[in-house]
Amino acid sequence: MSAPTQTAAASPLVTVAEEKVAAATQLQLTWWRFRKHRLAVASGILVILFYIGAIFADFLAVTEPHATEAARSYIPPQAIHFFDEDGSFKPHVYALKGRRDMRTFKLIYAPDPADKRYLRLFADGYSYNLLGIFETNRHLIGLDRGKAEDALFLLGTDQLGRDVWSRLMLATRTSLFIGLIGVGLSLFLGVLLGGISGLYGGVVDTVIQRVIEILRSIPTIPLWMGLAAALPNTWSVTQVYIAITVIISLIGWTELARVVRGRFLALREEDFITAAELAGASRLRIIFRHMVPSFLSHIIAAVSLALPAMIISETTLSFLGLGLRPPAISWGVLLQDAQNIQALGIAPWLLVVAVPVIIVILAFNFLGDGLRDAADPYG
Amino acid sequence: MTTEQIVLSVEGLKKYFPIRRGLLRRVVGNVKAVDDVSFKIARGETLSLVGESGCGKTTTSRCILRAIRPTAGAIQFRTDESRNVNVADMTRTELRPLRRQMQMIFQDPYSSLNPRMTIADIIGEPLLVNGMGDLTARRLRVAELLDVVQLPLAYMNRFPHAFSGGQRQRIGIARALALNPALIVADEPVSALDVSVQAQIINLMLDLQDRLGLSYLFVAHDLSVVKHVSHRVAVMYVGRIVEVAPTAALFRSPKHPYTEALLSAVPVPDPRQRARRIVLEGEVADPARPPPGCAFHPRCRYAIERCRVEAPPLVESEDGRAVACHRAEELDLSGVVG
Amino acid sequence: MGEPILSVRDLETFFRPDEGIVRAVDGASFDLYPGRTLGIVGESGCGKSVTARSILRIVDHPGKVERGEALLRRGDGRIVDLVAIDAKSAEMRDIRGGEIGYVFQEPMSSLSSFHTIGNQVVEAIRLHRAVSAKEARDRAIELLQLVGIPRPEQRVDSYSFELSGGLRQRVMIALALAAEPRILIADEPTTALDVTTQAQILELIRKIQADRNLAVILITHDMGVIAEMADSVSVMYLGKVVESGPVDTIFHAPRHPYTQALLRSIPSVLAEPRSRLTTIAGSIPHPYARPPGCPFHPRCQNFMPGTCDRSAPPVTRLDPEHEVRCFLYEAPAEAVA
């Protein structure tokens, strides 16, 4: 070759750091960008903690969440005393002694300082199935003596005397997983139909797009109401649970389908796709080697933003009494207890359910934002 | 040019894009992006297609590579087994084995490389999808190609984001060369690059042509670049070729008034040559509604009545030139003198 | 030539993103005279656009004009330093458009799609001149006529997306001229246009300049456009003005190795067909990784180890109008000192 070979090869000293960036994969670049987004990282950790909590809901619960005791209704949250009189660290609660108020004839529970119950880690309690695999009766916390059902009410009790803390743990599990399953279903439908729409175009695309528009133009709450009302009363809790998930994802997939279609359309115009086509690459290879990796990150971000929407949908439905119904426990079901202003007046702690709802939804949104920003390190 | 030497022969190529209106998307007209274009490219030759935006030069090149399907016309390609095949109406499957003999260099060095693949994967992809060699053989070939485009081998495992525009364009060239093509279509390969880098890429393309006997279809709007790379130049205006000529002849003595105006409009990098420009009036005609007769007549200062009604055909002359102008014989147009 | 209308000295504009510091403009100096055109030429990342934006004080975050002065002789004879006054002040707003009109590369993104072009011109006029709406509209039509828009009485009510690229750039020029500025800054005004349209726009700028005795700063990467239009030229490379002088000197007696190499490497319609070009080795460094000393030294043919990579060369005045920033021309006595 006549041209001096040093032309482009004249590379100045490359530092180790530069080499690291130069050979960084898409995943690494995304991670580096995501890491800079502190709020998103914190939210991500929080979301993970919530899901771990949800998996071990029974372990975190202290009492059998369905155990009712009419006499113990509306007990306020208990105070935990961390130190004994002698100053040593011995967390304990006072046992509750019921006493009849002679004027109102209401049973009033009051802590009895004489009867101390010490908290124990990994204590025995009601038995449950851990991860659906083995039976155990270990719980994170319990009491040294007596049944937890009689004495430990960290967040008080509801009208039927059920422990709010324990119910909250199980509700978190239901609500978080209904979101996950719903998104999974939406994702499947969205990627499939969006992909077909974006890849083939023409009549298929028009039909799918019109269906999406029609679905999205139906007001969601009446639609859910209608569908939920159509569920037979005789269905079991599990059946209702699955049905509700399906109903929610019926709307959820449309958004994802649009994202996928949009990416496919945009990518079809990219020169590197044309280049692959001109090189003789098969259609499958173009889709899976070039197109899908280019929008995978967008999908992940879209999913993390779709999850909270799913969770809110379930909560809304159940709150309105259209979704899960007792004896199922979910955030919506628990919030339904707090629907009544009178109940709230007597037992304001029932509203505590709103706290994890808000935290989880916010965390998901921050996480989704962070992921979306980091998703396209070349953009 | 003898038949054996001709790599590509385009005859009567047309590409119309339908204009659809209304709810039923009825076709109400056509944008005649390419309207009856014919030319030939010989082995080892560079033919440049020049013209302003919307003249159809890019559409022509995409039709030849069959990135889009032409409306009409024949695209005769001479394969390496010396068969002549018409690419114009082949199916996807029929095209695949031919792909390796025609490759493309893109304008935008940023969007033409998949940011999620390493350089080795990008350059090696044409080899992989055509089932050429095993992993080691492909690696060796990639190394060889990097050497050809003068990039260090150490860059093999890097991703495109680590490279400058000029380096990316070299990678794009290496990919195009991977399958030893006979014809390379280069769509504005240097227009997105800095001046000092443009020269490197132009030289590289000239060297590769000499060394590998490549034919180029060079699509460009920059006449200065065109002068440095072409053996022959075809000038397009509103979907048609108005003039074809050997490079030196076209620049020295254009035969079509549009070529003359185009040459005159190019700023010359010499303040002592601030010539009087022919400043064309008005705008390029709309290819959806081209004017009757010669499409250039509303802007042509030599237009006569005949130009308004009758479209001039592209007439070939003895000296390898062809021009589509009624007054080609009588006009004495000025070119650039260097 | 008289007094300069704008005199820029040692202008420095740095960008400080999280990743480091970019010396986008690193000591630019030049003078601009009424009726003359100053060409600023350079490749990507050389800081030519940021120079213009610094003068107008519209540098995007995280950029900041750090040092230097830009003395503007205003219409009333006062001299103001554009670097010293507040970028958001009423005076700066008055200068932008009022004293200095500007045209950018992308006519599509510089024009609003929500207002008719007439209304945008009218707004620009009334921002700087106290005239009635009717008068402003008449002025707007006049301006559109001046910049060569056919049927201006009708076009005044059209929207920018209804116009071709060339017409949009004409509207941009009309906007820039609305308040009768005495300086026009044109940043790559023809880069997005076809060559015949470019010729029209350059012709228009030349005509308006002659009519109004405008001082023009023309920023471009195209040496051809510079040769065509400029009276004097500043060549920039990675934030530094490496050479400046009259256009004929720059093209026919360039001194800086970069200018020389750049001129040799540009393709020309005057060249022999299929002739090889002389190349500049390597590529423009990333702005974060600017070489120490003279920023051009890794690509320079006249690189002197131990000198060029140690310290930045000072400006050497070769004759009253020709300055170069290169150790090759430094007086020997100074080199020792």
Side-chain angles (χ1 to χ4, degrees), chain C residues 91-112:
Chain C
E91 178 165 30
M92 197 63 228
R93 284 206 305 275
D94 186 41
I95 289 169
R96 263 181 236 132
E99 298 271 9
I100 309 176
Y102 43 95
V103 179
F104 292 125
Q105 179 180 353
E106 290 298 333
M108 198 66 221
S109 50
S110 311
L111 287 171
S112 161

Side-chain angles (χ1 to χ4, degrees), chain C residues 114-125:
Chain C
F114 299 103
H115 303 278
T116 63
I117 56 169
N119 282 344
Q120 291 178 62
V121 179
V122 164
E123 195 198 351
I125 295 171

Side-chain angles (χ1 to χ4, degrees), chain B residues 103-325:
Chain B
Q103 284 294 310
M104 175 159 186
I105 302 172
F106 294 84
Q107 171 174 17
D108 182 354
Y110 290 86
S111 93
S112 62
L113 306 181
N114 187 343
R116 284 147 184 94
M117 284 164 75
T118 62
I119 301 316
D121 287 342
I122 290 171
I123 300 176
E125 177 163 48
L127 301 167
L128 176 72
V129 299
N130 286 288
M132 319 242 310
D134 58 2
L135 187 66
T136 339
R138 286 202 304 269
R139 281 257 152 184
L140 281 172
R141 175 75 178 136
V142 169
E144 191 185 319
L145 287 163
L146 281 174
D147 187 51
V148 167
V149 298
Q150 299 154 23
L151 284 174
L153 294 187
Y155 289 178
M156 229 194 244
N157 294 321
R158 294 189 174 190
F159 287 84
H161 65 85
F163 295 92
S164 68
Q167 290 172 321
R168 281 161 180 254
Q169 208 57 311
R170 286 172 193 270
I171 296 165
I173 293 174
R175 172 177 60 192
L177 293 176
L179 298 168
N180 285 321
L183 173 71
I184 288 188
V185 174
D187 186 3
E188 302 267 12
V190 298
S191 67
L193 304 176
D194 273 309
V195 187
S196 68
V197 182
Q198 266 189 2
Q200 297 172 3
I201 300 296
I202 291 173
N203 285 355
L204 177 65
M205 288 185 67
L206 288 172
D207 290 339
L208 290 174
Q209 182 165 44
D210 291 350
R211 214 168 92 171
L212 307 169
L214 298 166
S215 302
Y216 289 135
L217 176 65
F218 194 91
V219 178
H221 71 279
D222 186 337
L223 287 161
S224 323
V225 172
V226 163
K227 188 145 190 202
H228 278 278
V229 297
S230 343
H231 293 96
R232 288 188 307 135
V233 181
V235 181
M236 286 187 78
Y237 189 76
V238 197
R240 287 169 178 268
I241 290 182
V242 295
E243 181 167 7
V244 190
T247 311
L250 185 110
F251 280 80
R252 197 187 322 112
S253 57
K255 294 276 185 218
H256 196 283
Y258 178 62
T259 315
E260 183 193 35
L262 209 54
L263 287 173
S264 145
V266 180
V268 176
D270 181 354
R272 292 180 189 166
Q273 293 218 17
R274 288 187 183 174
R276 292 251 11 112
R277 306 251 157 261
I278 303 168
V279 176
L280 285 180
E281 296 291 318
E283 308 268 323
V284 175
D286 180 356
R289 279 172 288 128
C294 170
F296 186 59
H297 86 256
R299 307 175 76 192
C300 180
R301 52 183 188 162
Y302 309 106
I304 52 172
E305 196 44 45
R306 191 179 170 203
C307 304
R308 278 176 249 281
V309 286
E310 192 188 326
L314 189 66
V315 180
E316 282 182 46
S317 57
E318 290 294 302
D319 49 0
R321 304 187 62 158
V323 60
C325 177

